[in-house]
Amino acid sequence: MKKIILAACIALASGSAFAQSASKVDPALVDRYVQSMWSKVSDEWKARVKQDETQAICSATLNAPSAAEFEKIVAREKAAVVFPADGKVMGDWKAGLKVANTGTGGQFSDKPETYKGGNCYACHQMAPSELSFGTLGPSLTGYGKARKFAPEEAKAAYAKIYNAQAVMACSQMPRFGHNKFLTEQQMKDVTAFLFDPESPVNK
Amino acid sequence: MTDMGFKKMAGWLAALVLVAASCLPASAQQDAAEKEIERYRAMINDPMANPGFLAVDRGEALWARKRGAKNVSLESCDLGEGAGKLEGAYAKLPRYFKDADRVMDLEQRLLWCMQKIQELDTADIVKRRFGGPGVESDMQDLVGFIANKSSGMKYQPQVSHPKEKEMLAVGEALFHRRAGVNDFSCTTCHGDDGRRIRLQALPNFAKPGKDAQETMGSWPTYRVSQSQLRTMQHRLWDCYRQMRHPIPEYGSDGITALTVYMVQMGAGGEITVPSIKR
């Protein structure tokens, strides 16, 4: 029930004023435009614009899936979350700060070996001392402290970083672990940045 | 003022914003930072000091220059309002062209005219589509010149032809299409009012209105940080780069479809170009 209410809230929040035709247009037609826009790139790059089922549903519903679709996405994404083998979700908060602050990697202007950052600050407020933060996502200031540094909350945060849609279908947040954008160590370090009592996030 | 002057000023100003902001509580800091950025925008928004107008002048010369196998100028090119008529042409682009049986944006149409009227080899033009150090872009200059001829006018999106309607619907779908290693679509950043990425304000393009009007009305723009006049083709190329998507093909129908959609959202927006941005 909680999830259905959540889905309804998302539907209300993301309903666009214009959005009339997007859901009506033939997906095969859109696909033809996609193919032609990226006809000259390598197969590896082509694979990036091929949607998985979750991306396709979130796109078609403008991130407002039906309650049934919502449940299905969460179940599928949840089943795909891989926790660290040793069960430890907390890494080094200082390394996590670097991940949160870095926006390079994975762009066609980057070298393949360029360090990939999580760029958390692009969307979230984190340490109150950092003024340059985005507002696309909620503020995470005092995140661990507000959750009394509870280990099960840290585990939930790791899962959210690994795959935000395992918690909320069609969340705008990237599925960092699922899409193999960040490494397991990076995700542990970001979890520590959120949950370590010494982290500036909790100061 | 020189490009270097602009860059130095931008750097100095950014430092000033941080110093000024650090003395205040968080919300006041934010307001102060935004006010300083606003002041900086107003300061650089001076047509007499906008290097984008140099591109406009170069574009004017390119428009009249005889080139290609036929050794003729582009002056007989029909941008939608009649052969050689430039006033108001940009305000109605992209649009359907009967001779090509396609919907084209300004850049596609210019390439078409170069091929059909001048018989110019456009491979070199496309290679230099985005200017940079040591690379002068004919396309940036021509777009600057032609778009400037619609300055003071309002965007009038063309959506009567079935192919224009198709472009609009596909453009909207592309706008919302999530893909790639970060699951991003255009909506991720441009789907809500009043959002920021880091300190950069993000216009909402998911609905018609002020954000889209002001944004579309200010492109092409001279980017101080890049020392180049940039067109919407470049802006969308850069968006896909940041979205971790592959390089979109220059002058492809997908980019034009997105432009049709964005112009529709910005309908009625007043064109003041070239503008100048950080």
Side-chain angles (χ1 to χ4, degrees):
Chain A
M1 188 57 201
K2 197 176 143 204
K3 279 178 187 164
I4 294 169
I5 294 168
L6 197 57
C9 293
I10 299 162
L12 281 173
S14 54
S16 127
F18 182 71
Q20 312 286 326
S21 42
S23 47
K24 285 179 207 153
V25 66
D26 177 9
L29 177 66
V30 178
D31 238 33
R32 284 207 292 279
Y33 277 77
V34 169
Q35 304 298 331
S36 76
M37 194 161 25
W38 287 296
S39 64
K40 289 178 186 163
V41 302
S42 70
D43 288 347
E44 201 185 331
W45 276 102
K46 271 189 188 130
R48 283 211 194 174
V49 289
K50 200 170 180 305
Q51 292 177 308
D52 70 9
E53 208 182 333
T54 299
Q55 289 170 334
I57 292 169
C58 295
S59 303
T61 62
L62 307 177
N63 294 319
S66 69
E69 286 166 331
F70 189 99
E71 298 275 359
K72 211 176 144 190
I73 289 172
V74 168
R76 179 171 61 231
E77 301 294 322
K78 210 172 180 175
V81 174
V82 180
F83 287 98
D86 61 5
K88 294 193 176 107
V89 295
M90 294 271 279
D92 170 10
W93 73 259
K94 283 179 188 154
L97 166 61
K98 186 190 171 192
V99 177
N101 233 337
T102 308
T104 57
Q107 303 169 116
F108 59 65
S109 53
D110 289 320
K111 294 191 175 89
E113 66 272 20
T114 299
Y115 177 85
K116 288 198 198 96
N119 210 13
C120 315
Y121 271 115
C123 301
H124 297 284
Q125 182 175 28
M126 301 181 91
S129 51
E130 175 58 80
L131 295 177
S132 177
F133 60 87
T135 59
L136 287 160
S139 170
L140 306 176
T141 298
Y143 196 86
K145 199 176 176 182
R147 286 158 184 79
K148 301 188 169 63
F149 304 111
E152 65 274 18
E153 292 281 6
K155 199 183 169 200
Y158 181 92
K160 172 114 193 180
I161 297 162
Y162 190 98
N163 190 336
Q165 302 203 43
V167 184
M168 190 195 284
C170 300
S171 161
Q172 303 270 20
M173 184 166 145
R175 295 169 291 171
F176 288 106
H178 186 81
N179 291 336
K180 298 186 171 58
F181 194 78
L182 295 181
T183 64
E184 185 176 284
Q185 188 59 49
Q186 284 179 309
M187 290 184 284
K188 286 165 78 160
D189 293 341
V190 173
T191 306
F193 187 50
L194 291 171
F195 272 88
D196 194 311
E198 292 310 307
S199 161
V201 167
N202 298 309
K203 293 288 181 189
Chain B
M1 195 181 291
T2 63
D3 288 352
M4 272 323 286
F6 270 116
K7 277 185 184 165
K8 268 186 198 153
M9 196 161 70
W12 172 82
L13 198 95
L16 185 79
V17 168
L18 287 178
V19 171
S22 59
C23 320
L24 302 164
S27 62
Q29 278 172 7
Q30 220 54 67
D31 291 350
E34 271 163 32
K35 265 192 196 130
E36 276 306 303
I37 290 166
E38 209 33 70
R39 212 165 65 83
Y40 168 64
R41 283 203 193 107
M43 199 160 66
I44 62 172
N45 191 21
D46 173 4
M48 297 306 286
N50 179 350
F53 283 90
L54 298 173
V56 172
D57 290 345
R58 287 194 300 268
E60 183 170 16
L62 280 171
W63 179 254
R65 186 180 302 166
K66 290 175 180 164
R67 289 203 287 188
K70 289 201 172 164
N71 195 34
V72 291
S73 76
L74 282 167
E75 287 159 315
S76 67
C77 176
D78 182 355
L79 298 174
E81 294 296 285
K85 187 161 185 299
L86 299 176
E87 278 71 23
Y90 186 69
K92 292 185 181 176
L93 286 169
R95 71 192 293 171
Y96 175 76
F97 289 91
K98 205 175 169 198
D99 52 13
D101 191 29
R102 275 175 72 192
V103 176
M104 293 167 152
D105 77 340
L106 177 54
E107 284 161 85
Q108 285 177 314
R109 186 61 183 174
L110 283 169
L111 289 173
W112 193 88
C113 284
M114 286 171 180
Q115 287 160 1
K116 302 286 172 188
I117 297 171
Q118 297 181 306
E119 289 188 9
L120 183 67
D121 176 14
T122 52
D124 171 58
I125 303 283
V126 171
K127 204 174 152 197
R128 294 183 291 113
R129 64 200 184 281
F130 303 140
V135 182
E136 286 221 340
S137 165
D138 291 11
M139 293 308 279
Q140 286 176 184
D141 294 346
L142 282 164
V143 170
F145 167 60
I146 293 158
N148 178 250
K149 294 281 182 196
S150 290
S151 239
M153 299 179 191
K154 291 187 163 116
Y155 269 114
Q156 299 164 60
Q158 303 297 299
V159 280
S160 52
H161 193 276
K163 291 203 174 176
E164 292 167 342
K165 290 193 171 86
E166 175 186 305
M167 276 271 179
L168 176 59
V170 171
E172 190 193 2
L174 288 174
F175 190 83
H176 293 285
R177 187 180 190 276
R178 298 181 69 172
V181 290
N182 278 345
D183 299 313
F184 287 154
S185 69
C186 308
T187 335
T188 311
C189 285
H190 300 285
D192 239 324
D193 290 336
R195 300 293 173 138
R196 290 198 327 249
I197 186 162
R198 288 279 185 162
L199 287 177
Q200 176 67 48
L202 296 162
N204 182 1
F205 270 103
K207 64 173 192 186
K210 192 169 161 278
D211 276 13
Q213 285 175 337
E214 287 179 359
T215 307
M216 294 312 286
S218 58
W219 283 81
T221 188
Y222 184 82
R223 295 295 301 270
V224 175
S225 57
Q226 302 173 20
S227 306
Q228 291 288 330
L229 181 88
R230 293 306 192 191
T231 69
M232 194 40 72
Q233 287 274 344
H234 184 274
R235 180 56 261 182
L236 293 174
W237 172 89
D238 209 26
C239 278
Y240 275 128
R241 182 180 70 83
Q242 293 173 298
M243 288 161 70
R244 273 73 181 170
H245 277 46
I247 299 173
E249 194 172 327
Y250 182 73
S252 60
D253 288 341
I255 295 291
T256 300
L258 276 168
T259 308
V260 168
Y261 167 73
M262 291 193 300
V263 165
Q264 178 72 29
M265 295 301 98
E270 186 172 324
I271 302 168
T272 311
V273 293
S275 71
I276 184 163
K277 294 179 196 277
R278 65 164 178 89

